């Protein structure tokens, strides 16, 4: 499925872990998001693409990335195109693409658990007697 692409010093990995924890993300997801942000801004060259950067910055507020690295419904094709290499020798298999778009199985399960917990706290879903969840009548 995934492959290691780099080796990093332990201190740097610890820093990445702390930053990911502070955002409530897994280290893998945090690193993938930052890598993708860099790829978008440098667009596979050694020069910062200032046009892309300026398009992401709202001039009236703090800089934000409005296209997000989470994949909203309907943007799967765009996410796939953004991550597919042009070089056949670097082609990605469907399992690798699934992970790029939706995250690892563990990250998917974590997102589902978080969403269910929030929906439960708002009274919109509840655990079913035999397992699973169901919508409430409210």
């Amino acid at each position: 499925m995934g492959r290691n692409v780099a080796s990093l010093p332990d201190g740097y990995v610890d820093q990445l872990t702390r930053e990911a924890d502070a955002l409530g993300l897994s280290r893998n997801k945090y690193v993938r998001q930052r890598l993708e942000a860099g790829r978008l801004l440098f667009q596979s060259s050694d020069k910062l693409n200032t046009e892309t950067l300026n398009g992401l910055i709202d001039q009236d507020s703090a800089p934000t990335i409005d296209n997000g690295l989470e994949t909203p419904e309907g943007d799967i094709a765009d996410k796939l195109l953004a991550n597919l290499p042009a070089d056949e020798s670097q082609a990605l298999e469907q399992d690798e693409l699934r992970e790029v778009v939706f995250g690892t199985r563990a990250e998917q399960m974590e997102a589902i658990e978080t969403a269910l917990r929030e929906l439960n706290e708002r009274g919109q879903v509840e655990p079913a007697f035999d397992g699973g969840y169901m919508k409430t009548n409210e």
Side-chain angles (χ1 to χ4, degrees), residues 4-129:
N4 291 332
V5 294
S7 178
L8 301 170
D10 290 341
Y12 188 67
V13 173
D14 292 341
Q15 176 184 348
L16 293 173
T17 301
R18 285 190 302 275
E19 291 170 4
D21 287 346
L23 295 171
L25 299 172
S26 72
R27 185 178 64 221
N28 286 340
K29 184 171 187 171
Y30 177 77
V31 169
R32 274 198 315 275
Q33 285 182 346
R34 277 31 184 197
L35 181 63
E36 182 62 18
R39 287 182 66 238
L40 287 172
L41 292 177
F42 285 90
Q43 295 193 354
S44 300
S45 74
D46 64 345
K47 303 279 189 224
L48 179 64
N49 185 321
T50 55
E51 184 177 314
T52 300
L53 180 60
N54 287 333
L56 297 174
I57 297 174
D58 179 354
Q59 299 298 324
D60 297 327
S61 64
T64 60
I65 297 179
D66 57 7
N67 67 344
L69 294 173
E70 298 294 323
T71 305
E73 196 172 303
D75 287 343
I76 293 174
D78 291 337
K79 185 75 170 177
L80 289 172
L81 284 174
N83 285 280
L84 283 171
D87 183 352
E88 184 176 356
S89 69
Q90 296 176 344
L92 298 176
E93 295 182 9
Q94 285 188 3
D95 276 347
E96 293 171 306
L97 291 170
R98 181 196 50 79
E99 191 169 311
V100 164
V101 173
F102 301 108
T104 64
R105 177 170 167 70
E107 289 167 342
Q108 292 172 35
M109 295 306 295
E110 182 180 322
I112 289 170
E113 288 173 15
T114 300
L116 284 171
R117 191 175 321 116
E118 290 173 10
L119 290 169
N120 185 278
E121 289 171 2
R122 293 192 309 225
Q124 294 178 296
V125 300
E126 62 188 2
F129 182 73

